[in-house]
Structure formats: structure tokens, C-alpha cells
Amino acid sequence: MGKGCLLLFVFGILLVIVGVGGTFWAVRNVYLSDKPALAPETASPTETGAVTPGETSAPAPSERSAEVRERLDTMKKAARAHERTGVELTAADINALIAANRKSSGTASVGINDTSLQAQFSIPLQRLDVPFRNAFGLGDRYLNATVTITAPPGTNASSVQLSEVTLNGHSISAGLLDWQLPGVGRSLRTYVIKYANKYGVTDGEIRDGKVILYTSGH
């Protein structure tokens, strides 16, 4: 959820909207907003307030994010060694990664409800180098979106699907991941696959309020 991921998300959606017949007037006034939608704290109180034995308070976001990154690095090493392993991420873990990155802090949050994940975005375009942003008067707009993802056991980067996508309150196709980006020729899914390969993730699932990622062991 660093600057690169946010730019990809914003630029990809704008290209899709314009490419399927939208106009920049519609992009500016229908799909973008002049006000931010503050992402609420979606992690449950038990996640944000949990204290492990020996601690007097819950870890700060920076401390939690460092611990999560360490687990992800361990998973990457296991993948390179062809070892089967898994990493569990709670909503609090993911939100800590977002909050610890100065480029993404305050622009997104996630919540996990048993078997589905909902990501909420409120991204000011002035913080991103979106092409033609100022030329088309988009510099003062916000991309407010919600994305819902479900992932049964065995889901991988090639098969993961979005079950619902809304942009400034307007529903858009849940098949967004597989749309070819006009002028780019690639889909958002190709980037999902790229990042999965980076960490050696071969499959995963969402269950019991967690995202669980696995390496293959081969």
C-alpha cells in the first residue's frame, strides 16, 4: 500500500472509466469527490486493543508493521527455500502496514468479516502523480472507493475476484481486475500476480477474520 500501489489503483480505475466511454466531466463530478471520505477504524476492538502476555499496552502501528514485515520476509525466504508455510494477517496487521507508510497513512483501511475483506480508500489525487491530473482539473478531487474481496481456500492471484466495487457511491464492474487498461494493454490482475510472485505467494484464503497467505513448498 505504498505510493506505487496507490498510484496503480487510482490510475487503473481512471483509465478504465474513461476507456469505457466516460468523459472527464463524469470522472470529475460523478466518480470523484470534492471531499474526503474518512476511512473508519474497521478493525475490531479485540484486534486493536489486544495485549500479549508481558505487555502493558497494544503495539504501536510502527511496531506492529515492523513485526508483520518480518513475517512477510520470513515467508519470502521460505518460498525461495521451497518450503510450505503460511502467514496470517488480521485487519489490524494490514492497517498497521498502511498507517506506518507516510504515503498511504490516512488514505485507506481494511476490515475483515469472517470470510470477506472490505478495503476503503479515500485518496487525494494531489498526493499522486496521476497523468493529466491538473490539466483536466482533477487536482482537488478525491477517489473514495470501497472494494470487497472473498477468497475461498485455494484462491491464487490468477483466480481471486472482487465481489463488489463502488466508486464515490456508484457501483462499477466487479470484473475490474481483468479489464485491459486503455493505453497500457495490461490488466490490474497482472500486477496482483507480480506482487504475489515477489513474496512467493502461491495461494491463500480469507477465513475466521484473517487473510492467510501460503507458499507452495515446491
Side-chain angles (χ1 to χ4, degrees):
M1 290 302 300
K3 182 178 180 180
C5 293
L6 291 176
L7 176 59
L8 171 64
F9 177 80
V10 174
F11 188 41
I13 288 183
L14 292 180
L15 280 176
V16 167
I17 293 172
V18 174
V20 296
T23 65
F24 276 99
W25 183 92
V27 172
R28 173 180 170 80
N29 297 286
V30 178
Y31 294 105
L32 298 178
S33 175
D34 61 349
K35 298 179 181 179
L38 298 179
E41 183 61 54
T42 53
S44 66
T46 57
E47 290 180 323
T48 57
V51 180
T52 57
E55 291 182 328
T56 57
S57 61
S62 59
E63 296 173 347
R64 183 187 287 269
S65 69
E67 187 274 330
V68 174
R69 289 185 183 279
E70 184 176 342
R71 283 191 277 143
L72 292 174
D73 287 340
T74 299
M75 180 179 66
K76 185 190 296 186
K77 293 177 182 178
R80 291 174 177 173
H82 306 289
E83 299 174 356
R84 176 71 170 176
T85 189
V87 172
E88 296 184 351
L89 301 175
T90 66
D93 290 335
I94 299 172
N95 285 328
L97 290 175
I98 295 171
N101 187 310
R102 66 185 182 87
K103 295 296 185 180
S104 60
S105 180
T107 65
S109 67
V110 305
I112 305 174
N113 181 16
D114 194 18
T115 59
S116 66
L117 178 149
Q118 184 179 73
Q120 297 180 317
F121 300 89
S122 185
I123 306 172
L125 296 192
Q126 65 179 357
R127 290 177 57 176
L128 301 175
D129 298 325
V130 177
F132 310 116
R133 178 193 62 193
N134 295 324
F136 291 99
L138 304 179
D140 63 343
R141 313 307 280 183
Y142 293 81
L143 187 145
N144 299 327
T146 62
V147 178
T148 302
I149 303 172
T150 58
T155 298
N156 57 44
S158 297
S159 64
V160 65
Q161 298 293 332
L162 308 180
S163 60
E164 183 179 2
V165 181
T166 63
L167 196 59
N168 199 29
H170 300 273
S171 296
I172 62 176
S173 173
L176 177 67
L177 285 179
D178 295 308
W179 288 4
Q180 296 295 315
L181 303 182
V184 177
R186 303 177 68 183
S187 68
L188 290 175
R189 185 178 299 280
T190 61
Y191 296 95
V192 175
I193 294 173
K194 175 183 176 181
Y195 283 106
N197 291 338
K198 177 181 178 180
Y199 286 94
V201 176
T202 55
D203 60 296
E205 60 182 314
I206 300 174
R207 63 175 171 84
D208 302 327
K210 299 175 182 178
V211 174
I212 308 174
L213 305 175
Y214 300 103
T215 59
S216 69
H218 299 294

